[in-house]
Amino acid sequence: MVLFGLGAGVLLLLTGVGLGAVGAAVLGASRATEPPRRPPTARAPATLPGQGATGSHPAPADAAPEPVRTTLGIEVADDDVRPGARVVAVHVPGPGYTAGLVRGDVLLALGRTRIRSAADLARAVARSAPGHPVLLTVRHGSGAHRQLTAALGVAT
């Protein structure tokens, strides 16, 4: 019986199925295909007649509000040639798109903060307040420098 299983495994390996399928068949893949079980959730208490419903449940007193995350609506990477954060994607719609950023632009400054890397840009955006206009210094692919104004948004 073991020799048969070993032979079947070698045959499957040689045909390109690979050990992943053999291992799943030998170990039993029935659990891997089952959906994960969720723990039961608590239900909201029923409203008695005459009490009225508020439509929302108050947050626990000890729960801290979630911090607001500011976003420029772009994805960046370190520029390989010179300091700055190279734009690799612009989210449409988004603050960066509205300001005029395009893929390939290199951000050099956000307000008065110099940007030398993608991490510098992430820190500068996180420190900024959403909704307020901020001046962006950008180097385009042609080498021309431009200043754009963007109103940072809130990440949801």
PDB file of all heavy atoms in Angstrom, residues 111-139:
ATOM      1  N   GLY A 111       4.906  71.167   2.123  1.00  0.00           N
ATOM      2  CA  GLY A 111       4.973  72.345   2.982  1.00  0.00           C
ATOM      3  C   GLY A 111       6.427  72.764   3.116  1.00  0.00           C
ATOM      4  O   GLY A 111       7.136  72.930   2.128  1.00  0.00           O
ATOM      5  N   ARG A 112       6.904  72.879   4.345  1.00  0.00           N
ATOM      6  CA  ARG A 112       8.305  73.242   4.594  1.00  0.00           C
ATOM      7  C   ARG A 112       9.174  72.027   4.880  1.00  0.00           C
ATOM      8  O   ARG A 112      10.365  72.171   5.161  1.00  0.00           O
ATOM      9  CB  ARG A 112       8.379  74.202   5.769  1.00  0.00           C
ATOM     10  CG  ARG A 112       7.742  75.534   5.474  1.00  0.00           C
ATOM     11  CD  ARG A 112       7.922  76.463   6.624  1.00  0.00           C
ATOM     12  NE  ARG A 112       7.310  77.761   6.316  1.00  0.00           N
ATOM     13  CZ  ARG A 112       7.342  78.772   7.131  1.00  0.00           C
ATOM     14  NH1 ARG A 112       7.932  78.659   8.298  1.00  0.00           N
ATOM     15  NH2 ARG A 112       6.772  79.900   6.796  1.00  0.00           N
ATOM     16  N   THR A 113       8.603  70.840   4.808  1.00  0.00           N
ATOM     17  CA  THR A 113       9.333  69.610   5.114  1.00  0.00           C
ATOM     18  C   THR A 113       9.954  69.038   3.848  1.00  0.00           C
ATOM     19  O   THR A 113       9.251  68.744   2.886  1.00  0.00           O
ATOM     20  CB  THR A 113       8.386  68.555   5.736  1.00  0.00           C
ATOM     21  OG1 THR A 113       7.735  69.128   6.868  1.00  0.00           O
ATOM     22  CG2 THR A 113       9.136  67.321   6.150  1.00  0.00           C
ATOM     23  N   ARG A 114      11.282  68.883   3.835  1.00  0.00           N
ATOM     24  CA  ARG A 114      11.965  68.268   2.688  1.00  0.00           C
ATOM     25  C   ARG A 114      11.693  66.775   2.689  1.00  0.00           C
ATOM     26  O   ARG A 114      11.681  66.128   3.731  1.00  0.00           O
ATOM     27  CB  ARG A 114      13.463  68.518   2.774  1.00  0.00           C
ATOM     28  CG  ARG A 114      13.774  70.005   2.576  1.00  0.00           C
ATOM     29  CD  ARG A 114      15.147  70.232   2.145  1.00  0.00           C
ATOM     30  NE  ARG A 114      15.365  69.522   0.888  1.00  0.00           N
ATOM     31  CZ  ARG A 114      16.487  69.580   0.220  1.00  0.00           C
ATOM     32  NH1 ARG A 114      17.477  70.288   0.671  1.00  0.00           N
ATOM     33  NH2 ARG A 114      16.641  68.931  -0.903  1.00  0.00           N
ATOM     34  N   ILE A 115      11.491  66.230   1.514  1.00  0.00           N
ATOM     35  CA  ILE A 115      11.208  64.806   1.350  1.00  0.00           C
ATOM     36  C   ILE A 115      12.413  64.160   0.680  1.00  0.00           C
ATOM     37  O   ILE A 115      12.746  64.478  -0.461  1.00  0.00           O
ATOM     38  CB  ILE A 115       9.940  64.595   0.479  1.00  0.00           C
ATOM     39  CG1 ILE A 115       8.748  65.357   1.046  1.00  0.00           C
ATOM     40  CG2 ILE A 115       9.645  63.119   0.306  1.00  0.00           C
ATOM     41  CD1 ILE A 115       8.330  64.943   2.429  1.00  0.00           C
ATOM     42  N   ARG A 116      13.063  63.241   1.393  1.00  0.00           N
ATOM     43  CA  ARG A 116      14.222  62.527   0.840  1.00  0.00           C
ATOM     44  C   ARG A 116      13.890  61.086   0.477  1.00  0.00           C
ATOM     45  O   ARG A 116      14.636  60.449  -0.245  1.00  0.00           O
ATOM     46  CB  ARG A 116      15.366  62.558   1.837  1.00  0.00           C
ATOM     47  CG  ARG A 116      15.961  63.937   2.011  1.00  0.00           C
ATOM     48  CD  ARG A 116      17.208  63.895   2.877  1.00  0.00           C
ATOM     49  NE  ARG A 116      17.939  65.140   2.805  1.00  0.00           N
ATOM     50  CZ  ARG A 116      17.651  66.203   3.528  1.00  0.00           C
ATOM     51  NH1 ARG A 116      16.636  66.179   4.363  1.00  0.00           N
ATOM     52  NH2 ARG A 116      18.365  67.303   3.415  1.00  0.00           N
ATOM     53  N   SER A 117      12.769  60.574   1.014  1.00  0.00           N
ATOM     54  CA  SER A 117      12.391  59.177   0.773  1.00  0.00           C
ATOM     55  C   SER A 117      10.877  59.038   0.916  1.00  0.00           C
ATOM     56  O   SER A 117      10.197  59.960   1.359  1.00  0.00           O
ATOM     57  CB  SER A 117      13.096  58.258   1.766  1.00  0.00           C
ATOM     58  OG  SER A 117      12.620  58.501   3.081  1.00  0.00           O
ATOM     59  N   ALA A 118      10.384  57.865   0.561  1.00  0.00           N
ATOM     60  CA  ALA A 118       8.959  57.582   0.715  1.00  0.00           C
ATOM     61  C   ALA A 118       8.565  57.616   2.189  1.00  0.00           C
ATOM     62  O   ALA A 118       7.466  58.060   2.541  1.00  0.00           O
ATOM     63  CB  ALA A 118       8.624  56.228   0.101  1.00  0.00           C
ATOM     64  N   ALA A 119       9.452  57.171   3.061  1.00  0.00           N
ATOM     65  CA  ALA A 119       9.166  57.198   4.497  1.00  0.00           C
ATOM     66  C   ALA A 119       9.040  58.633   5.006  1.00  0.00           C
ATOM     67  O   ALA A 119       8.188  58.925   5.848  1.00  0.00           O
ATOM     68  CB  ALA A 119      10.249  56.451   5.273  1.00  0.00           C
ATOM     69  N   ASP A 120       9.883  59.538   4.502  1.00  0.00           N
ATOM     70  CA  ASP A 120       9.778  60.954   4.879  1.00  0.00           C
ATOM     71  C   ASP A 120       8.411  61.512   4.487  1.00  0.00           C
ATOM     72  O   ASP A 120       7.790  62.254   5.251  1.00  0.00           O
ATOM     73  CB  ASP A 120      10.865  61.791   4.197  1.00  0.00           C
ATOM     74  CG  ASP A 120      12.246  61.583   4.784  1.00  0.00           C
ATOM     75  OD1 ASP A 120      12.347  60.964   5.860  1.00  0.00           O
ATOM     76  OD2 ASP A 120      13.222  62.034   4.156  1.00  0.00           O
ATOM     77  N   LEU A 121       7.939  61.164   3.287  1.00  0.00           N
ATOM     78  CA  LEU A 121       6.631  61.648   2.837  1.00  0.00           C
ATOM     79  C   LEU A 121       5.521  61.095   3.718  1.00  0.00           C
ATOM     80  O   LEU A 121       4.616  61.830   4.109  1.00  0.00           O
ATOM     81  CB  LEU A 121       6.381  61.273   1.379  1.00  0.00           C
ATOM     82  CG  LEU A 121       5.026  61.706   0.826  1.00  0.00           C
ATOM     83  CD1 LEU A 121       4.906  63.228   0.826  1.00  0.00           C
ATOM     84  CD2 LEU A 121       4.804  61.150  -0.564  1.00  0.00           C
ATOM     85  N   ALA A 122       5.583  59.818   4.059  1.00  0.00           N
ATOM     86  CA  ALA A 122       4.556  59.211   4.916  1.00  0.00           C
ATOM     87  C   ALA A 122       4.496  59.910   6.267  1.00  0.00           C
ATOM     88  O   ALA A 122       3.410  60.196   6.787  1.00  0.00           O
ATOM     89  CB  ALA A 122       4.829  57.724   5.085  1.00  0.00           C
ATOM     90  N   ARG A 123       5.661  60.214   6.850  1.00  0.00           N
ATOM     91  CA  ARG A 123       5.686  60.913   8.146  1.00  0.00           C
ATOM     92  C   ARG A 123       5.130  62.329   8.018  1.00  0.00           C
ATOM     93  O   ARG A 123       4.370  62.790   8.874  1.00  0.00           O
ATOM     94  CB  ARG A 123       7.105  60.940   8.700  1.00  0.00           C
ATOM     95  CG  ARG A 123       7.545  59.621   9.305  1.00  0.00           C
ATOM     96  CD  ARG A 123       8.878  59.765  10.024  1.00  0.00           C
ATOM     97  NE  ARG A 123       9.983  59.983   9.101  1.00  0.00           N
ATOM     98  CZ  ARG A 123      10.702  59.019   8.548  1.00  0.00           C
ATOM     99  NH1 ARG A 123      10.425  57.759   8.825  1.00  0.00           N
ATOM    100  NH2 ARG A 123      11.696  59.297   7.736  1.00  0.00           N
ATOM    101  N   ALA A 124       5.493  63.027   6.949  1.00  0.00           N
ATOM    102  CA  ALA A 124       5.026  64.410   6.754  1.00  0.00           C
ATOM    103  C   ALA A 124       3.512  64.449   6.557  1.00  0.00           C
ATOM    104  O   ALA A 124       2.832  65.324   7.105  1.00  0.00           O
ATOM    105  CB  ALA A 124       5.738  65.043   5.568  1.00  0.00           C
ATOM    106  N   VAL A 125       2.967  63.514   5.794  1.00  0.00           N
ATOM    107  CA  VAL A 125       1.519  63.475   5.579  1.00  0.00           C
ATOM    108  C   VAL A 125       0.814  63.126   6.885  1.00  0.00           C
ATOM    109  O   VAL A 125      -0.230  63.710   7.220  1.00  0.00           O
ATOM    110  CB  VAL A 125       1.162  62.466   4.456  1.00  0.00           C
ATOM    111  CG1 VAL A 125      -0.331  62.219   4.405  1.00  0.00           C
ATOM    112  CG2 VAL A 125       1.654  62.982   3.119  1.00  0.00           C
ATOM    113  N   ALA A 126       1.362  62.199   7.654  1.00  0.00           N
ATOM    114  CA  ALA A 126       0.737  61.797   8.923  1.00  0.00           C
ATOM    115  C   ALA A 126       0.692  62.960   9.912  1.00  0.00           C
ATOM    116  O   ALA A 126      -0.236  63.057  10.719  1.00  0.00           O
ATOM    117  CB  ALA A 126       1.483  60.613   9.529  1.00  0.00           C
ATOM    118  N   ARG A 127       1.678  63.844   9.881  1.00  0.00           N
ATOM    119  CA  ARG A 127       1.708  64.995  10.795  1.00  0.00           C
ATOM    120  C   ARG A 127       0.787  66.124  10.354  1.00  0.00           C
ATOM    121  O   ARG A 127       0.494  67.030  11.125  1.00  0.00           O
ATOM    122  CB  ARG A 127       3.139  65.535  10.910  1.00  0.00           C
ATOM    123  CG  ARG A 127       4.061  64.686  11.749  1.00  0.00           C
ATOM    124  CD  ARG A 127       5.361  65.418  12.043  1.00  0.00           C
ATOM    125  NE  ARG A 127       6.063  65.807  10.832  1.00  0.00           N
ATOM    126  CZ  ARG A 127       7.081  65.138  10.285  1.00  0.00           C
ATOM    127  NH1 ARG A 127       7.501  64.039  10.846  1.00  0.00           N
ATOM    128  NH2 ARG A 127       7.662  65.585   9.193  1.00  0.00           N
ATOM    129  N   SER A 128       0.344  66.097   9.106  1.00  0.00           N
ATOM    130  CA  SER A 128      -0.485  67.182   8.567  1.00  0.00           C
ATOM    131  C   SER A 128      -1.953  66.959   8.899  1.00  0.00           C
ATOM    132  O   SER A 128      -2.399  65.834   9.069  1.00  0.00           O
ATOM    133  CB  SER A 128      -0.317  67.267   7.050  1.00  0.00           C
ATOM    134  OG  SER A 128       1.028  67.498   6.726  1.00  0.00           O
ATOM    135  N   ALA A 129      -2.696  68.047   8.956  1.00  0.00           N
ATOM    136  CA  ALA A 129      -4.131  67.984   9.249  1.00  0.00           C
ATOM    137  C   ALA A 129      -4.913  67.820   7.956  1.00  0.00           C
ATOM    138  O   ALA A 129      -4.610  68.472   6.955  1.00  0.00           O
ATOM    139  CB  ALA A 129      -4.576  69.255   9.960  1.00  0.00           C
ATOM    140  N   PRO A 130      -5.917  66.945   7.962  1.00  0.00           N
ATOM    141  CA  PRO A 130      -6.715  66.765   6.743  1.00  0.00           C
ATOM    142  C   PRO A 130      -7.563  68.004   6.453  1.00  0.00           C
ATOM    143  O   PRO A 130      -7.978  68.709   7.353  1.00  0.00           O
ATOM    144  CB  PRO A 130      -7.586  65.551   7.064  1.00  0.00           C
ATOM    145  CG  PRO A 130      -7.635  65.480   8.550  1.00  0.00           C
ATOM    146  CD  PRO A 130      -6.359  66.074   9.047  1.00  0.00           C
ATOM    147  N   GLY A 131      -7.781  68.260   5.161  1.00  0.00           N
ATOM    148  CA  GLY A 131      -8.641  69.360   4.749  1.00  0.00           C
ATOM    149  C   GLY A 131      -7.933  70.674   4.547  1.00  0.00           C
ATOM    150  O   GLY A 131      -8.449  71.564   3.880  1.00  0.00           O
ATOM    151  N   HIS A 132      -6.747  70.832   5.114  1.00  0.00           N
ATOM    152  CA  HIS A 132      -6.017  72.090   4.966  1.00  0.00           C
ATOM    153  C   HIS A 132      -5.114  72.028   3.741  1.00  0.00           C
ATOM    154  O   HIS A 132      -4.456  71.023   3.500  1.00  0.00           O
ATOM    155  CB  HIS A 132      -5.172  72.378   6.215  1.00  0.00           C
ATOM    156  CG  HIS A 132      -5.998  72.587   7.439  1.00  0.00           C
ATOM    157  ND1 HIS A 132      -6.745  73.724   7.636  1.00  0.00           N
ATOM    158  CD2 HIS A 132      -6.226  71.793   8.519  1.00  0.00           C
ATOM    159  CE1 HIS A 132      -7.380  73.627   8.788  1.00  0.00           C
ATOM    160  NE2 HIS A 132      -7.085  72.458   9.340  1.00  0.00           N
ATOM    161  N   PRO A 133      -5.047  73.095   2.963  1.00  0.00           N
ATOM    162  CA  PRO A 133      -4.177  73.080   1.778  1.00  0.00           C
ATOM    163  C   PRO A 133      -2.708  73.026   2.183  1.00  0.00           C
ATOM    164  O   PRO A 133      -2.300  73.637   3.171  1.00  0.00           O
ATOM    165  CB  PRO A 133      -4.511  74.383   1.060  1.00  0.00           C
ATOM    166  CG  PRO A 133      -5.214  75.223   2.044  1.00  0.00           C
ATOM    167  CD  PRO A 133      -5.777  74.335   3.096  1.00  0.00           C
ATOM    168  N   VAL A 134      -1.936  72.273   1.408  1.00  0.00           N
ATOM    169  CA  VAL A 134      -0.505  72.147   1.660  1.00  0.00           C
ATOM    170  C   VAL A 134       0.216  72.300   0.317  1.00  0.00           C
ATOM    171  O   VAL A 134      -0.286  71.875  -0.725  1.00  0.00           O
ATOM    172  CB  VAL A 134      -0.175  70.793   2.346  1.00  0.00           C
ATOM    173  CG1 VAL A 134      -0.511  69.628   1.462  1.00  0.00           C
ATOM    174  CG2 VAL A 134       1.257  70.738   2.783  1.00  0.00           C
ATOM    175  N   LEU A 135       1.376  72.938   0.326  1.00  0.00           N
ATOM    176  CA  LEU A 135       2.143  73.188  -0.884  1.00  0.00           C
ATOM    177  C   LEU A 135       3.068  72.000  -1.148  1.00  0.00           C
ATOM    178  O   LEU A 135       3.815  71.564  -0.261  1.00  0.00           O
ATOM    179  CB  LEU A 135       2.968  74.467  -0.725  1.00  0.00           C
ATOM    180  CG  LEU A 135       3.646  74.998  -1.969  1.00  0.00           C
ATOM    181  CD1 LEU A 135       2.611  75.421  -3.011  1.00  0.00           C
ATOM    182  CD2 LEU A 135       4.527  76.174  -1.606  1.00  0.00           C
ATOM    183  N   LEU A 136       3.017  71.447  -2.360  1.00  0.00           N
ATOM    184  CA  LEU A 136       3.866  70.330  -2.764  1.00  0.00           C
ATOM    185  C   LEU A 136       4.889  70.832  -3.769  1.00  0.00           C
ATOM    186  O   LEU A 136       4.534  71.494  -4.740  1.00  0.00           O
ATOM    187  CB  LEU A 136       3.036  69.231  -3.436  1.00  0.00           C
ATOM    188  CG  LEU A 136       1.869  68.644  -2.651  1.00  0.00           C
ATOM    189  CD1 LEU A 136       1.064  67.713  -3.546  1.00  0.00           C
ATOM    190  CD2 LEU A 136       2.383  67.905  -1.445  1.00  0.00           C
ATOM    191  N   THR A 137       6.172  70.526  -3.532  1.00  0.00           N
ATOM    192  CA  THR A 137       7.209  70.821  -4.508  1.00  0.00           C
ATOM    193  C   THR A 137       7.503  69.523  -5.248  1.00  0.00           C
ATOM    194  O   THR A 137       7.824  68.508  -4.628  1.00  0.00           O
ATOM    195  CB  THR A 137       8.486  71.358  -3.828  1.00  0.00           C
ATOM    196  OG1 THR A 137       8.131  72.495  -3.042  1.00  0.00           O
ATOM    197  CG2 THR A 137       9.529  71.745  -4.856  1.00  0.00           C
ATOM    198  N   VAL A 138       7.361  69.562  -6.581  1.00  0.00           N
ATOM    199  CA  VAL A 138       7.401  68.352  -7.400  1.00  0.00           C
ATOM    200  C   VAL A 138       8.398  68.523  -8.533  1.00  0.00           C
ATOM    201  O   VAL A 138       8.504  69.603  -9.127  1.00  0.00           O
ATOM    202  CB  VAL A 138       5.991  68.081  -7.994  1.00  0.00           C
ATOM    203  CG1 VAL A 138       5.988  66.864  -8.885  1.00  0.00           C
ATOM    204  CG2 VAL A 138       4.976  67.932  -6.892  1.00  0.00           C
ATOM    205  N   ARG A 139       9.136  67.441  -8.829  1.00  0.00           N
ATOM    206  CA  ARG A 139       9.982  67.401 -10.024  1.00  0.00           C
ATOM    207  C   ARG A 139       9.312  66.448 -11.010  1.00  0.00           C
ATOM    208  O   ARG A 139       9.099  65.278 -10.707  1.00  0.00           O
ATOM    209  CB  ARG A 139      11.395  66.911  -9.682  1.00  0.00           C
ATOM    210  CG  ARG A 139      12.333  66.892 -10.881  1.00  0.00           C
ATOM    211  CD  ARG A 139      13.757  66.463 -10.536  1.00  0.00           C
ATOM    212  NE  ARG A 139      13.774  65.113  -9.999  1.00  0.00           N
ATOM    213  CZ  ARG A 139      14.267  64.779  -8.811  1.00  0.00           C
ATOM    214  NH1 ARG A 139      14.769  65.693  -8.008  1.00  0.00           N
ATOM    215  NH2 ARG A 139      14.248  63.529  -8.408  1.00  0.00           N
TER     216      ARG A 139
END
